[in-house]
Amino acid sequence: MNKVPAARFDSDRFPPNERLAAWRQMTASLYQTWPRGEPEGFRAEAAGYRVGELVFNQARFSPARFLRGPELLAGEGRDFLSLQAQLAGEERLIMTHGHVRLLAGHIYLRDWAYEFDSEASAMCLHAIIIPRHRLRAGAGMNEQTPVLSWSMADPDGRLLSLLWQELIAELGQVTLPQATILCDAFLGFLDVMLGYGPAETIHASLSAMQQYLMTRLQGDVGVEALCRHFHVSRSTVYRLFAPVGGVRQFINGARLERCYRELRGADPRHTKIADVASAWGFADASSFSHRFRNRFAVSPSEILGMALEQSEDASVSSHLASSRPLRDYADWLQQASGREA
């Protein structure tokens, strides 16, 4: 049977003084890695599938710093995206346009065409590396909006997570041609969720515009972006959003909801309210606190640290097939990022 190729990496297969070097070799086309602690204490596991140009992987690793510099953006090295389900841990990206926080319980679509420096806690994630030309939505991402997101607590994020689980479960069972068909369908669904279905299916409804905005809350979005994407006039956008108070009120309300969730699930010892507010577009601390209290009848400081009830167990299935050599997996990652092995 023409099965889907699979590979597995486990740092414990290496002597302590070689674990970090092995991980760096495997991920050299993505970023440079420095452990937050003694190098001998670094641990990492990764496993995945390759379906044509797509690379599926799941990974766990120790706290680390990751740097993606200009040398990795040469040629085709910038022409890929990744869909990332953050199951545990947190990563803070420092990028040209500002900071982006990747939190547990969320799914992110990341554009790897830009430099970043990041600090990550111990993390568990699942990801799909996707060449840019395979996803129509890639054309709409830019330096101001390099990361799109869904919360797994929301219906759209929950549905995407469930479909992802089903897809991963099938990859270990089906033939490679069957897997290719399933992956094409999954990418098509992802494009539609991002508002980039076939041109004839793009419908300028209020719900479609709201969904478009919800995945771009950390970017610079507004009326002009809606006009460009849905090919409508400003007056049409104003008319559609009138029942919900307008575009800006909808965006601010959605951002406040994200702040509430993030603060409620944050560790007060390591989280500053101002940092959370700024990450979601609220630069003025006093104004943010006033808006927050008006919406939730409590202050941000009262919410900080409360347990956030969210479905972090809705993770991608880890029923992965038998392992192949480490070098195979490194080759897949390098191919997906456009670099030679």
Side-chain angles (χ1 to χ4, degrees):
M1 180 183 291
N2 187 13
K3 299 190 69 173
V4 177
R8 188 178 297 274
F9 170 88
D10 187 344
S11 62
D12 286 345
R13 293 171 47 198
F14 301 88
N17 63 341
E18 296 180 12
R19 290 169 180 161
L20 179 59
W23 175 261
R24 283 173 168 169
Q25 176 190 352
M26 188 182 74
T27 60
S29 60
L30 302 176
Y31 41 60
Q32 296 173 275
T33 305
W34 292 270
R36 292 168 59 184
E38 294 298 324
E40 292 78 10
F42 182 78
R43 294 286 193 282
E45 297 177 61
Y49 293 115
R50 177 186 172 190
V51 181
E53 299 175 292
L54 305 181
V55 177
F56 293 75
N57 67 74
Q58 62 170 2
R60 292 179 180 271
F61 48 82
S62 304
R65 176 194 173 200
F66 301 105
L67 176 66
R68 182 169 173 81
E71 69 280 0
L72 296 179
L73 303 180
E76 296 180 353
R78 61 189 293 119
D79 284 336
F80 70 96
L81 314 169
S82 71
L83 188 67
Q84 179 173 318
Q86 193 90 352
L87 306 181
E90 175 181 332
E91 184 175 5
R92 296 170 179 258
L93 301 174
I94 302 174
M95 309 184 77
T96 302
H97 80 291
H99 295 198
V100 178
R101 302 178 70 192
L102 307 183
L103 305 170
H106 291 75
I107 297 174
Y108 299 96
L109 182 65
R110 297 177 58 177
D111 189 338
W112 289 70
Y114 309 104
E115 299 176 33
F116 67 78
D117 193 345
S118 77
E119 293 283 342
S121 64
M123 292 216 301
C124 174
L125 59 86
H126 294 129
I128 310 173
I129 296 176
I130 308 168
R132 188 182 304 276
H133 70 88
R134 294 295 305 277
L135 204 61
R136 293 165 58 93
M141 301 181 74
N142 53 51
E143 195 168 13
Q144 284 69 46
T145 313
V147 179
L148 309 180
S149 66
W150 298 264
S151 168
M152 294 184 201
D154 292 336
D156 51 355
R158 188 161 55 248
L159 177 58
L160 181 58
S161 176
L162 290 172
L163 288 176
W164 195 342
Q165 291 182 61
E166 292 298 323
L167 176 59
I168 290 293
E170 290 298 327
L171 292 184
Q173 310 296 324
V174 301
T175 66
L176 186 55
Q178 290 170 328
T180 300
I181 294 172
L182 294 176
C183 289
D184 288 346
F186 181 80
L187 293 184
F189 174 79
L190 181 59
D191 260 334
V192 171
M193 285 192 67
L194 290 164
Y196 282 87
E200 62 272 15
T201 68
I202 297 178
H203 180 54
S205 66
L206 175 60
S207 60
M209 291 185 179
Q210 288 176 322
Q211 175 144 340
Y212 180 86
L213 294 173
M214 287 296 290
T215 60
R216 295 160 175 81
L217 292 175
Q218 288 184 291
D220 183 15
V221 292
V223 175
E224 292 298 333
L226 292 172
C227 291
R228 287 193 302 270
H229 181 74
F230 290 95
H231 308 292
V232 296
S233 65
R234 294 176 68 91
S235 60
T236 297
V237 174
Y238 293 148
R239 175 177 55 79
L240 289 172
F241 275 84
V244 295
V247 175
R248 182 51 51 190
Q249 182 166 317
F250 173 80
I251 292 173
N252 284 339
R255 285 173 170 167
L256 285 170
E257 293 284 348
R258 294 294 175 90
C259 289
Y260 182 97
R261 291 180 183 176
E262 186 170 335
L263 289 170
R264 191 177 178 196
D267 185 342
R269 297 170 299 176
H270 305 114
T271 302
K272 294 181 179 179
I273 292 174
D275 289 344
V276 174
S278 177
W280 291 102
F282 299 103
D284 183 88
S286 177
S287 174
F288 168 72
S289 181
H290 179 71
R291 290 180 177 183
F292 192 96
R293 182 178 286 277
N294 281 347
R295 187 172 185 88
F296 304 112
V298 292
S299 68
S301 59
E302 291 176 278
I303 290 299
L304 180 60
M306 295 178 66
L308 173 61
E309 296 181 1
Q310 61 184 16
S311 179
E312 293 183 15
D313 293 331
S315 60
V316 181
S317 173
S318 60
H319 300 301
L320 297 176
S322 58
S323 64
R324 295 285 182 90
L326 165 64
R327 185 63 190 167
D328 285 354
Y329 192 58
D331 287 346
W332 300 346
L333 290 174
Q334 287 166 334
Q335 178 180 340
S337 62
R339 296 190 52 162
E340 296 294 326

